[in-house]
Amino acid sequence: MATTGRVVSVKFLGFLQRLAGHREASVEVAADATLADLLDALARSYGPAFASAIFRTPGDVHTHLRVFVNEEEAQVTDRIVTGGEAAQVAVLVVPGFEGGSR
Amino acid sequence: MVIDLKRCIGCYGCQLSCKAEHGTPPGVFFARVIKREFGTFPNTQLVFLPTLCFHCTNAPCVDVCPTGASHYREGGVVDITREECVGCLACTQACPYGARYFNDAPGAYFPGQGLTPYEQAKYSDDNVGIVMKCNFCIDRVTAGLEPACVANCASRARTFGDLDDPGSEVSHLIRLRGGEQLQPELGTHPNVYYLPPA
Amino acid sequence: MTASDRWVASTCGLCYGTCSIRGHVKDDVLVKIEGNPESEIGRGRLCGKGVSGIMTLYDPNRVNAPLKRTNPLKGKGVDPGWQEISWAEALDEVAGRLKKVHDDDPRKLFIQRTTTNTSIRAPMMMFGAAFGTPNSWAAGGGLHCGNGAHLIGGIYHASWSLVPDFQHCKYAIYFGASKGHGAGHVACTNMQQAADARIRGMKLVVVDPMSNFASAKATEWVPIRPGTDAAMGLAMVNVILNDLGVWDAEYLATKTNAPYLIGPDRCYVRDADTKKPLVWDTGRGRAVPYDDADAAGLALEGEYDAGGVRARPAFARLREHVRQFTPEWAEGLSTVPAAAIRRIAREFATEAMVGSTIVIDGQRLPYRPVAAIYFRGAQGHKNSVHNCYTLELLNQIVGAADVVGGALGFNPVCYGHPETGKPWYEPKPGPDGLMVTGTWVAPHLPYPIPDPKHPESMSLGGLFPLGMFGTTMASRDQEELWTQFKLPYRPEIMLNYGANSLLSVGNSDTVAETLTRIPFVVSFEITLTEFSEFADIVLPDTSYLESLDSRPNVPFIFNHPAGQGQWSWPIRQPVVAPEGQRRQCADVLLELVDRIGIREEFNAIANTHLKLDGPHRLDFKTPYTYAEVCDRELKSHFGAERGLEWFREHGVISWPKRVEEVYWRPFLKVRVPIYWEFLVGLNAKAKTIANARGLTWDDAWYDPLPRWLPCPSHEVRDARYDLWGFYYRDTLHTNSFTNENPWLDEAARLDPYSYTIAVNAATGRRKGLRDGQEVWLESPHNRRVRGRVRLTETVHPDCVGVGGCAGHWAKTLPIARGKGIMFNDLLEVDWDHGSPVNLNLDTCVKLRIVA
Ligand code: SF4
Ligand code: SF4
Ligand code: SF4
């Protein structure tokens, strides 16, 4: 595991903004961190309400969770890759209004 | 025309597409759907019976018409010449199938609120005080289309064609499924056949 | 075709069937609506409603300008004193209030929409998500029609609903369903396919308290008491498994969790390392993870030592469990004779031809020409989950699910247009190998079930993850429950799109009370309804014939014809230009997005929700019109050259379906649960949260195996209430919406049943009732509605049936006013009348007839 961390800027969209208490944050992650690692870190720092909005069940994100890196949708298993620039990560939960699972 | 009572589900698509096609005023229907119950619970059979003018070969409505407004057209279609109808109602009484409607007064679908743009486009003052009925969508048929009720029926319960041609689909269906006229004993010889519901 | 005489391809909006239409416009007047023969959706033929849309468009009672109330008093029949205002004034006020709520607590926004016009679903969902509110519902939709049926459709078929494979099915049983008989999802194409199936000789058994649309065309009508479908279904499953010994072992072993070993705690026995459920591999004589076993050797029966406990395969458990449900027991509840239950079970099992195959398009596929189909009738009860779960098991045990001839979900698999490969989706295996749906636009994800949590939404949804919508959105005890669950906010603003919840939810007094508690209500309307009496601002919407939408018929799992044939993606476009100051709701929403300052979230959501792709994605920061969003959506799916302009001209794009899309089950490695193991854990967790809040809990509803559970209407002991009342969907009307259409109203007045109370003739005679007599229907809760009796042989002697959702009283609906009966006025909307597992409302009521 690489030790040199780096900083990504995270934007909380929709109701996550309310749960996080602000719209944007800078988070330090490991150089080889995946988005899942980032989400874990966020869940730890923002508490259980935020965590349960992200995770369906511990360790498993909601089917409705969407993550964007520089406006492009990404998978949580993806590494936070950037072209040298600081990554802009946006996190959002789309509603699963239809057919259970809110 | 052949109407398949096994296919028909009583959706009223024919009755309403006919209304839309012809812009018939309130209370006037060239095509209608009638529901009838047979048997007793639990052996109940609900039958949907789509109707229209049967364009009878021996049409009593034509016989009784004093002005000749009701007449046979080429191909057997029974039609009414609007200008010649005097609204005497002899034909509405003569038709044993209730296929004719007297349009007694100018109507509107939103009473007291004037005519909709559609009604303005479709209604004609010439229709008031005369008898109206289905003419097998003669204009559509001439243009190579099927009658509106046939073209729209989602269950494909209505088939239009030449009963005189033994090779036509209608003749084939009548033979295959045992098509029958409604009340043949009246001797009117309707040109609409029904295929049995079961 | 000239400018003054043209045909415009578009989409019907008079029910969620969304058939493709073309409108004939002459001198700017719409003179005819026909089906669009180029589209698979309706195949050029429409129902009676669809051709009558002209009268909805030209209703002189349409709203033409924004309105603001002057009378602060809200109530049923109280005139709001509407005053016309400008759009600028209306939007200033609406946006101002929304912004305030958004900055304070976005959950205070409550979004309500109709189920009828499905085009609004995506824009409203995206708006709600961007705003950040979890509070949205379809005004009683779900409570009545979908919490159970769609849930089960999703879990077993990755789809919204199911139909028999009309092209190949030989024996279908409908439990309170009417697929193919004039209304509902895929109405018009289904009508054609069902009629062809009848002529081909498909047998249809209809289990229903009333013999109307489907039963009239059935080979056999089986009258049943409402809400007892599971009793009959359980007895059938018992007969098939235990008396006849018929099941599809290969299907069960490979496509379901039937072989998963269940321990004494009713849960899966899991592999110590991988935590995967274990199965018994008879070849190797030991328990192995389910995905590590040889399909041929999987045990479905027996008892084994696995993981240190005595365990049995789920299938063995099921088989044992259903032994208690004898046909005689079922007869007592359902009134269906035990002999008939045995015979129908045998016919179903025999016709299933377990083990047989057929070659379609050169591929050898399983052939199971039977289908058990359930919908609103089986589902509209407190016990909807167990009803639908039981009935679906009929398909599952004989392997008749998404194979040739069987029960087909609506298009859970699509591999896209041949030139672009889009839209592309398929179900995938999720936790424990069970199926997760693969679709977009309206996420339909009953599985995997999220952990229940302390509820934060008005519906208490978080605690009941199997529910779609909950009664507390408009219930008598709403405030009590919100207090009990410490809901930290109350609704401040309601945004309503075209729903008339006064009529559509339950008794109107309860609904009215909940509405008056909301300080500010904005409603997009085409006419003023009973709901509008509770609005503060009404915005004049365009009708479906004046609107644009790039996805009127998606998602395909909701409303695209199943079975072989074609894919069609049509658009909706204005057939005529909107009159007055009408504006399309989606455009107004986009303006509100900008005024509130949530463009970034909206655009992000639109990208993922609509699957906007590559260059067609929305920049987070750029404003777009709704037409631009539609254009980008079409290009994302069908290529840059097929945007809105292309679709405006062509109306629809179609391409052939592939056999592995239609009969996908054998091709995909997904399993479905015949044993609902996840309910055990869900129950424990949800119960803990509920008990902590003082809510009593009944574990029976969370049994991992199906049961019959009584609804409130089954437990009324007062003998004066001797009849079960239910409503059914009339072919002429879509809920309360079309009552104002004078062509449809005229036809309904001439119809013997549409606007009347159907009473069994013998029952009626016994009570001294006359045909046409005016009577009251009275509930044990002292609610009553008035209507005319229709004595008929088409209804069960213990029941009365009421057509549709009519009985309007608003003066602003002169055609609809006073016609038909508002059955829903008899319904209680409270916790006791909802399901504690999926929040479904009980839509049956025990009642008496009072002359
Ligand atoms: S349109 Fe066809 S199915 Fe519908 S009522 Fe008429 S004949 Fe019957
Ligand atoms: S059905 Fe009636 S109106 Fe039509 S031709 Fe026969 S008699 Fe005349
Ligand atoms: S089924 Fe629904 S969408 Fe289709 S034509 Fe009828 S009302 Fe319109």
Side-chain angles (χ1 to χ4, degrees):
Chain A
M1 171 93 83
T3 45
T4 43
R6 67 201 160 107
V7 172
V8 292
S9 105
V10 183
K11 192 174 277 183
F12 304 103
L13 299 181
F15 71 85
L16 292 178
Q17 179 178 343
R18 183 178 54 77
L19 294 173
H22 42 234
R23 189 170 179 79
E24 285 187 59
S26 296
V27 182
E28 194 173 323
V29 294
D32 60 352
T34 63
L35 285 162
D37 298 332
L38 173 64
L39 294 174
D40 267 338
L42 293 173
R44 272 196 305 277
S45 55
Y46 291 111
F50 184 91
S52 82
I54 301 267
F55 292 101
R56 179 181 72 81
T57 204
D60 188 7
V61 296
H62 274 291
T63 334
H64 308 305
L65 185 89
R66 299 287 182 276
V67 189
F68 304 83
V69 177
N70 298 335
E71 298 198 5
E72 285 235 38
E73 199 172 332
Q75 303 300 315
V76 289
T77 45
D78 291 351
R79 291 254 179 90
I80 310 172
V81 183
T82 57
E85 303 280 309
Q88 278 272 356
V89 177
V91 192
L92 144 85
V93 178
V94 297
F97 286 174
E98 321 268 337
S101 304
R102 238 170 314 165
Chain B
M1 185 180 290
V2 166
I3 299 180
D4 186 342
L5 299 183
K6 187 164 185 174
R7 282 186 175 272
C8 174
I9 58 162
C11 77
Y12 290 101
C14 48
Q15 176 174 319
L16 289 153
S17 61
C18 169
K19 183 158 281 295
E21 176 76 25
H22 297 284
T24 50
V28 174
F29 302 94
F30 295 173
R32 270 211 58 189
V33 181
I34 293 165
K35 296 184 179 177
R36 286 270 179 280
E37 292 178 15
F38 297 93
T40 51
F41 179 90
N43 302 307
T44 315
Q45 178 68 58
L46 180 63
V47 172
F48 307 122
L49 188 73
T51 65
L52 70 170
C53 168
F54 295 152
H55 299 277
C56 310
T57 305
N58 305 316
C61 59
V62 175
D63 292 350
V64 300
C65 179
T67 68
S70 287
H71 62 284
Y72 302 101
R73 291 177 69 147
E74 210 182 316
V77 172
V78 174
D79 203 357
I80 305 170
T81 310
R82 191 190 281 191
E83 297 73 28
E84 291 174 11
C85 176
V86 293
C88 70
L89 304 190
C91 59
T92 50
Q93 279 152 37
C95 170
Y97 306 110
R100 292 178 164 245
Y101 290 82
F102 180 56
N103 185 27
D104 53 347
Y109 267 105
F110 291 93
Q113 296 191 290
L115 292 180
T116 61
Y118 167 87
E119 289 172 294
Q120 288 167 28
K122 295 293 250 190
Y123 294 173
S124 147
D125 287 344
D126 302 353
N127 284 344
V128 177
I130 63 160
V131 168
M132 303 172 79
K133 71 163 195 73
C134 154
N135 67 359
F136 261 170
C137 282
I138 192 88
D139 294 342
R140 284 180 62 102
V141 173
T142 314
L145 300 168
E146 290 178 317
C149 61
V150 175
N152 186 68
C153 174
S155 300
R156 274 186 276 107
R158 292 170 175 248
T159 312
F160 186 70
D162 187 355
L163 288 169
D164 293 336
D165 172 5
S168 67
E169 195 187 345
V170 280
S171 302
H172 174 75
L173 281 169
I174 291 168
R175 279 195 310 273
L176 184 78
R177 302 269 310 282
E180 284 180 7
Q181 297 158 316
L182 221 57
Q183 294 174 286
E185 67 279 5
L186 298 177
T188 51
H189 196 76
N191 283 306
V192 173
Y193 286 75
Y194 287 93
L195 307 181
Chain C
M1 196 152 105
T2 62
S4 66
D5 186 343
R6 59 183 194 272
W7 287 88
V8 184
S10 189
T11 297
C12 185
L14 290 173
C15 85
Y16 48 75
T18 51
C19 300
S20 302
I21 60 171
R22 27 186 222 142
H24 190 187
V25 181
K26 263 185 171 162
D27 301 321
D28 296 322
V29 174
L30 177 61
V31 294
K32 184 94 192 283
I33 298 172
E34 294 184 358
N36 184 355
E38 286 170 28
S39 170
E40 187 74 1
I41 300 117
R43 294 182 182 164
R45 293 154 191 269
L46 304 177
C47 82
K49 300 177 288 292
V51 296
S52 303
I54 301 168
M55 286 289 135
T56 296
L57 172 71
Y58 290 130
D59 187 339
N61 304 292
R62 295 262 322 255
V63 189
N64 289 315
L67 302 173
K68 185 182 171 137
R69 80 162 42 236
T70 55
N71 181 1
L73 193 73
K74 291 180 182 176
K76 274 169 69 180
V78 179
D79 184 352
W82 293 118
Q83 185 186 44
E84 279 195 20
I85 55 171
S86 68
W87 267 105
E89 192 184 333
L91 287 182
D92 280 347
E93 169 139 22
V94 173
R97 285 182 181 254
L98 281 171
K99 174 123 185 67
K100 227 171 118 226
V101 163
H102 177 260
D103 295 346
D104 166 26
D105 184 344
R107 295 174 298 183
K108 293 180 175 174
L109 172 63
F110 176 10
I111 292 176
Q112 169 172 288
R113 61 183 164 79
T114 173
T115 53
T116 303
N117 188 342
T118 55
S119 277
I120 202 59
R121 186 174 45 205
M124 268 296 187
M125 283 176 70
M126 296 191 296
F127 181 86
F131 195 88
T133 180
N135 295 312
S136 161
W137 83 330
L143 295 192
H144 288 237
C145 66
N147 273 357
H150 300 321
L151 168 75
I152 306 297
I155 290 212
Y156 288 96
H157 298 270
S159 177
W160 201 244
S161 255
L162 45 158
V163 280
D165 180 7
F166 286 118
Q167 284 137 312
H168 300 281
C169 184
K170 284 172 32 189
Y171 190 92
I173 312 180
Y174 280 18
F175 293 88
S178 75
K179 311 282 177 197
H181 302 86
H185 306 101
V186 202
C188 290
T189 313
N190 279 351
M191 278 153 75
Q192 299 168 44
Q193 294 182 326
D196 289 348
R198 274 199 293 289
I199 299 301
R200 183 175 54 78
M202 180 181 90
K203 291 210 176 77
L204 176 64
V205 176
V206 176
V207 181
D208 199 307
M210 191 162 174
S211 169
N212 42 27
F213 312 103
S215 323
K217 309 314 294 181
T219 341
E220 180 176 357
W221 169 42
V222 180
I224 189 168
R225 260 191 208 145
T228 63
D229 307 67
M232 177 174 174
L234 286 163
M236 287 177 66
V237 174
N238 181 18
V239 170
I240 295 172
L241 294 183
N242 291 312
D243 295 354
L244 305 173
V246 172
W247 61 84
D248 186 337
E250 189 189 334
Y251 176 90
L252 288 167
T254 56
K255 299 297 178 189
T256 75
N257 68 354
Y260 289 19
L261 293 171
I262 308 295
D265 61 353
R266 304 188 301 164
C267 294
Y268 298 141
V269 181
R270 293 178 183 274
D271 182 60
D273 299 334
T274 61
K275 300 281 174 265
K276 287 180 178 170
L278 294 172
V279 294
W280 190 261
D281 188 326
T282 50
R284 286 185 268 175
R286 63 182 169 90
V288 297
Y290 70 91
D291 53 357
D292 188 26
D294 173 20
L298 289 185
L300 293 176
E301 304 208 75
E303 195 174 7
Y304 308 94
D305 279 319
V309 295
R310 290 297 283 169
R312 306 181 65 194
F315 179 73
R317 281 243 180 187
L318 171 70
R319 201 168 160 218
E320 184 59 39
H321 168 78
V322 295
R323 267 186 217 281
Q324 58 187 305
F325 306 117
T326 64
E328 285 69 22
W329 164 83
E331 175 174 348
L333 289 166
S334 67
T335 73
V336 181
I341 297 176
R342 285 205 172 80
R343 172 178 50 79
I344 294 166
R346 182 176 317 108
E347 287 169 2
F348 186 83
T350 310
E351 294 283 4
M353 300 171 67
V354 171
S356 62
T357 59
I358 189 171
V359 175
I360 304 268
D361 286 359
Q363 307 217 49
R364 183 161 290 282
L365 298 166
Y367 175 57
R368 298 287 178 282
V370 297
I373 306 296
Y374 43 88
F375 194 48
R376 167 62 183 76
Q379 113 84 37
H381 308 278
K382 184 169 175 173
N383 60 15
S384 69
V385 168
H386 285 266
N387 272 355
C388 298
Y389 172 16
T390 302
L391 301 173
E392 177 60 43
L393 283 181
L394 291 168
N395 298 319
Q396 297 298 323
I397 57 181
V398 299
D402 307 294
V403 299
V404 184
L408 302 182
F410 289 177
N411 312 291
V413 176
C414 177
Y415 295 130
H417 189 276
E419 285 169 35
T420 59
K422 290 183 197 152
W424 190 101
Y425 60 89
E426 62 177 22
K428 288 180 279 295
D432 299 334
L434 300 187
M435 179 173 72
V436 178
T437 63
T439 184
W440 83 115
V441 180
H444 185 38
L445 291 165
Y447 190 86
I449 317 285
D451 273 351
K453 56 180 183 191
H454 183 83
E456 265 190 56
S457 68
M458 290 168 47
S459 70
L460 310 181
L463 184 54
F464 302 94
L466 288 171
M468 243 179 7
F469 303 122
T471 49
T472 40
M473 305 301 266
S475 70
R476 182 185 54 74
D477 49 6
Q478 177 184 72
E479 187 49 48
E480 262 166 72
L481 284 155
W482 288 348
T483 309
Q484 194 170 354
F485 280 96
K486 295 198 172 16
L487 191 77
Y489 61 90
R490 293 292 179 275
E492 277 285 321
I493 301 186
M494 178 190 247
L495 215 52
N496 176 58
Y497 178 85
N500 189 352
S501 53
L502 260 287
L503 269 73
S504 65
V505 178
N507 79 81
S508 53
D509 290 334
T510 294
V511 177
E513 215 184 295
T514 62
L515 285 175
T516 46
R517 289 196 208 115
I518 305 175
F520 188 67
V521 177
V522 185
S523 192
F524 294 86
E525 307 273 20
I526 67 164
T527 52
L528 295 172
T529 69
E530 290 75 12
F531 177 87
S532 321
E533 292 175 353
F534 295 83
D536 293 273
I537 288 201
V538 167
L539 298 173
D541 191 25
T542 52
S543 74
Y544 73 97
L545 290 161
E546 304 155 297
S547 305
L548 176 78
D549 183 24
S550 45
R551 80 201 78 73
N553 205 69
V554 300
F556 293 161
I557 65 153
F558 177 75
N559 194 46
H560 190 285
Q564 289 175 281
Q566 298 215 88
W567 295 106
S568 284
W569 183 306
I571 64 155
R572 168 173 293 149
Q573 60 179 321
V575 174
V576 292
E579 267 179 45
Q581 298 178 49
R582 298 169 195 164
R583 283 185 69 186
Q584 185 173 343
C585 173
D587 274 322
V588 177
L589 288 179
L590 280 180
E591 189 170 335
L592 290 174
V593 159
D594 267 342
R595 289 197 185 210
I596 302 162
I598 50 174
R599 187 196 293 155
E600 237 178 316
E601 10 281 276
F602 187 90
N603 289 0
I605 290 165
N607 284 342
T608 154
H609 205 58
L610 306 177
K611 287 209 185 225
L612 305 185
D613 218 23
H616 311 303
R617 278 187 308 127
L618 308 181
D619 290 337
F620 283 13
K621 298 221 162 61
T622 310
Y624 299 92
T625 64
Y626 190 60
E628 284 168 330
V629 175
C630 290
D631 181 53
R632 284 164 177 261
E633 182 180 16
L634 294 166
K635 287 174 173 164
S636 292
H637 288 301
F638 302 110
E641 65 290 356
R642 293 202 199 89
L644 198 49
E645 275 323 296
W646 188 94
F647 272 87
R648 278 185 189 275
E649 193 189 327
H650 295 88
V652 58
I653 190 167
S654 298
W655 66 98
K657 278 186 173 177
R658 286 154 55 176
V659 78
E660 61 273 31
E661 292 172 324
V662 180
Y663 304 118
W664 55 273
R665 186 81 62 168
F667 295 93
L668 295 182
K669 244 179 131 64
V670 291
R671 294 173 184 268
V672 294
I674 60 147
Y675 179 95
W676 285 35
E677 192 258 3
F678 43 79
L679 282 191
V680 178
L682 181 59
N683 182 49
K685 288 176 191 159
K687 184 182 183 171
T688 311
I689 299 171
N691 284 349
R693 293 282 169 226
L695 197 71
T696 49
W697 198 260
D698 181 354
D699 297 326
W701 294 84
Y702 284 79
D703 201 318
L705 285 163
R707 319 187 37 165
W708 183 78
L709 292 157
C711 300
S713 67
H714 300 116
E715 291 181 317
V716 172
R717 300 282 169 245
D718 186 338
R720 287 173 304 163
Y721 300 92
D722 57 343
L723 297 168
W724 273 276
F726 61 87
Y727 75 86
Y728 61 91
R729 175 151 174 200
D730 187 30
T731 189
L732 278 167
H733 284 304
T734 302
N735 307 328
S736 67
F737 177 54
T738 50
N739 291 153
E740 173 65 12
N741 183 307
W743 287 358
L744 297 171
D745 171 61
E746 182 184 47
R749 278 185 280 128
L750 294 167
D751 185 282
Y753 313 103
S754 287
Y755 287 159
T756 58
I757 300 169
V759 179
N760 178 281
T763 306
R765 276 194 301 274
R766 217 180 57 234
K767 292 180 178 291
L769 298 173
R770 279 173 290 105
D771 213 21
Q773 185 179 349
E774 289 258 354
V775 297
W776 292 101
L777 301 180
E778 285 188 2
S779 81
H781 290 86
N782 293 321
R783 305 203 189 269
R784 56 185 208 163
V785 297
R786 199 167 169 75
R788 269 183 307 114
V789 163
R790 175 76 193 180
L791 294 180
T792 171
E793 303 293 337
T794 60
V795 70
H796 192 293
D798 298 349
C799 299
V800 298
V802 172
C805 178
H808 289 267
W809 60 84
K811 292 199 182 83
T812 47
L813 300 171
I815 303 300
R817 188 167 184 229
K819 309 282 174 56
I821 299 143
M822 184 190 161
F823 177 84
N824 286 346
D825 238 349
L826 295 169
L827 299 181
E828 300 306 308
V829 192
D830 58 23
W831 182 254
D832 290 339
H833 288 79
S835 157
V837 59
N838 71 338
L839 305 174
N840 205 72
L841 185 69
D842 203 28
T843 61
C844 272
V845 62
K846 205 71 183 288
L847 52 75
R848 62 174 172 178
I849 300 180
V850 182

